[in-house]
Amino acid sequence: MFNDSKAQWGNETMNNDYAFEMATSAVRFGVGVTREVGAELADQGKGHALVFTDANLRALSPVSTVLESLGEHRIRYSVFDRVRVEPSDESFCEAITAAQADNFDCIVAVGGGSTIDTAKAANLYSTYPADFLDYVNPPIGKGKPVPGPLKTLIAVPTTAGTGSETTGVAIFDLTRIHAKTGIAHRRLKPTLGLLDPENTRTQPPAVATSTGLDVLSHSVESYTTLPFDKRPLPARPILRPAYQGSNPISDVWSLEALRLVATYLRLAVADPENDEARAAMLLAASYAGIGFGNAGLHLPHGMSYAVSGLVRDYRAPGYGAGHPLVPHGISVILNAPAAFRFTARACPERHLKAAEILGAKINGARPEDAGKILAEQIIGFMRDLRIPNGLRALGYQTSDIPALVECTLPQHRVTKLSPRPFEPEDLAQIFSEAMVAW
Ligand SMILES: [Fe+2]
């Protein structure tokens, strides 16, 4: 039943982990479920909410529906609408200050991954104040665990991508060193995600493309991470990371997410009125979030943080962010084909399986071609969705590669889950191949 994992279980050593854990995420899915937010909080005994969103969404229906529902159930609220798309430590701090400004007993995040991540950070630091770097992932921060339970946080995603409503991770750009890093702990996980396909109707096609490609990579990366029993045994159970490596439970979620992506991503981008495709991608984002939230990610994400952190003047069409940015899903997928060509050697059968789900014929495929076959499938999606053809199209040049490698190396949380060990020269080669995708 567990095919390739089973062989590894028999080989475990005293120094490697022997267990994996399924951390659950509460989500409620349904057309119109946004209207339940007020009743949900009232039933939990809450009375004073801080609502996080961004300036673009402030006047749109997902936010107005939430505010109406809060009003109907006599929940007092304030709105913080200055969430930054691709947040930074400064924008997190502004949100934390807002959360500390009054006696809020609950938080509602309405938006994409940037908004939900910002709400998680505001929840953490307003509940357990600390120096900003205390909870940030090592080696950049101290990686202190979250001391106790946080305030109720309800996440209402308006993009089908990050799966942030299901994870305990908040990603931001540490401006001082131009590096993306994050805060990761199970207690950051939202109390409930309200998945309402009506809310992704407002998603511009460029956003549907980037977030959908992020889901694709979440699925493939989490399925191909280092297996859980190849990771070192933690000294105590509580130190077992949320990103614990691929395992039979996360595989279920990652593969089903990938099947949904294969069927629905192109349809959802082509026609925002395709209700079935939009709903399926919203589910896929959460499935993949549960998959990678328990297994982790590896090189495409580790490298993406360098790509987005070192952006110069690329302005993504369709984002209206007012500052240069590489959308997260784009920064991930541009590295993915070259990264999977590199990692396939570690577990070719898993790379082939992913390729097959995405549409490849793998009958008679040789294991040594697994990376190439998977890369071709992913490039097919990139071309069909008309994204920039490689890092060069975002303004990067060969001379940028040393800096890109330098910025990737501290991303231990994800890069150490690469199924194949790598050296800085390997990353340089992958970045070099990612300059032009096709
Ligand atoms: Fe992602």
Side-chain angles (χ1 to χ4, degrees):
M1 179 182 177
F2 299 129
N3 49 52
D4 56 320
S5 296
K6 193 172 180 181
Q8 289 149 4
W9 294 358
N11 292 336
E12 71 201 32
T13 70
M14 289 296 285
N15 296 325
N16 277 1
D17 206 344
Y18 61 91
F20 55 91
E21 176 169 333
M22 166 78 192
T24 54
S25 308
V27 293
R28 186 181 301 164
F29 177 93
V31 174
V33 78
T34 310
R35 287 193 302 270
E36 297 189 2
V37 67
E40 179 65 35
L41 289 170
D43 289 345
Q44 289 188 27
K46 307 301 175 193
H48 194 190
L50 177 56
V51 178
F52 284 94
T53 191
D54 65 51
N56 295 331
L57 267 173
R58 178 67 178 86
L60 299 180
S61 60
V63 172
S64 55
T65 305
V66 163
L67 299 185
E68 276 166 32
S69 176
L70 294 177
E72 279 166 19
H73 291 86
R74 300 179 189 283
I75 310 271
R76 282 196 300 140
Y77 61 80
S78 298
V79 178
F80 178 88
D81 65 2
R82 292 210 302 283
V83 166
R84 178 182 156 104
V85 181
E86 304 297 320
S88 63
D89 50 327
E90 286 124 8
S91 76
F92 268 12
C93 286
E94 198 185 342
I96 292 162
T97 303
Q100 288 169 328
D102 210 337
N103 254 342
F104 301 107
D105 57 13
C106 57
I107 292 174
V108 182
V110 191
S114 300
T115 300
I116 300 171
D117 285 7
T118 300
K120 289 174 186 171
N123 195 5
L124 169 59
Y125 289 90
S126 64
T127 311
Y128 300 105
D131 284 343
F132 186 72
L133 286 177
D134 277 5
Y135 300 120
V136 172
N137 296 326
I140 293 170
K142 293 186 188 154
K144 287 191 182 165
V146 175
L150 301 182
K151 292 189 257 294
T152 292
L153 165 59
I154 295 189
V156 186
T158 58
T159 65
T162 62
S164 179
E165 67 279 4
T166 62
T167 71
V169 178
I171 300 291
F172 66 95
D173 186 16
L174 191 59
T175 314
R176 171 163 59 76
I177 55 168
H178 296 289
K180 287 259 177 184
T181 182
I183 307 166
H185 193 277
R186 291 184 178 90
R187 286 188 169 129
L188 286 181
K189 200 177 281 190
T191 319
L192 176 66
L194 291 177
L195 307 180
D196 184 345
E198 283 303 302
N199 290 339
T200 55
R201 209 181 274 285
T202 51
Q203 191 178 224
V207 177
T209 295
S210 170
T211 54
L213 290 168
D214 191 27
V215 181
L216 189 161
S217 206
H218 289 159
S219 310
V220 180
E221 285 178 64
S222 53
Y223 184 60
T224 55
T225 50
L226 191 74
F228 72 94
D229 57 356
K230 301 287 183 197
R231 244 194 39 252
L233 182 68
R236 296 170 61 83
I238 198 174
L239 297 175
R240 184 170 284 124
Y243 281 13
Q244 54 196 329
S246 59
N247 62 77
I249 298 180
S250 63
D251 288 352
V252 172
W253 295 93
S254 304
L255 290 179
E256 190 55 28
L258 195 59
R259 290 187 186 101
L260 289 169
V261 167
T263 307
Y264 290 108
L265 174 54
R266 290 181 175 97
L267 296 172
V269 172
D271 179 10
E273 300 298 316
N274 184 331
D275 293 343
E276 181 186 344
R278 234 183 34 253
M281 284 306 299
L282 188 58
L283 271 187
S286 280
Y287 286 13
I290 297 170
F292 87 76
N294 285 287
L297 298 165
H298 60 93
L299 292 182
H301 267 74
M303 297 169 70
S304 82
Y305 302 130
V307 171
S308 48
L310 293 173
V311 63
R312 288 199 194 92
D313 48 15
Y314 181 76
R315 284 174 187 264
Y319 271 74
H323 57 88
L325 78 86
V326 183
H328 170 66
I330 300 297
S331 68
V332 169
I333 209 72
L334 290 180
N335 302 312
F340 292 129
R341 280 196 296 263
F342 173 78
T343 56
R345 190 187 296 177
C347 47
E349 67 298 334
R350 284 186 170 245
H351 288 68
L352 280 175
K353 175 90 181 161
E356 182 181 30
I357 291 172
L358 289 174
K361 301 270 179 286
I362 62 160
N363 272 352
R366 298 182 308 172
E368 54 267 41
D369 292 332
K372 185 166 149 271
I373 293 169
L374 175 57
E376 279 167 7
Q377 288 302 315
I378 295 173
I379 289 169
F381 274 85
M382 293 160 68
R383 295 183 73 152
D384 289 352
L385 298 178
R386 299 170 192 277
I387 69 159
N389 181 6
L391 299 177
R392 191 158 287 162
L394 306 183
Y396 290 99
Q397 298 166 0
T398 308
S399 55
D400 295 315
I401 290 177
L404 289 165
V405 171
E406 206 54 40
C407 265
T408 303
L409 291 173
Q411 304 295 337
H412 292 184
R413 184 177 58 93
V414 282
T415 54
K416 71 184 177 191
L417 286 171
S418 170
R420 182 177 166 192
F422 62 88
E423 298 295 331
E425 306 82 70
D426 298 315
L427 289 180
Q429 177 61 30
I430 299 170
F431 275 124
S432 165
E433 290 179 28
M435 284 291 165
V436 178
W438 63 84

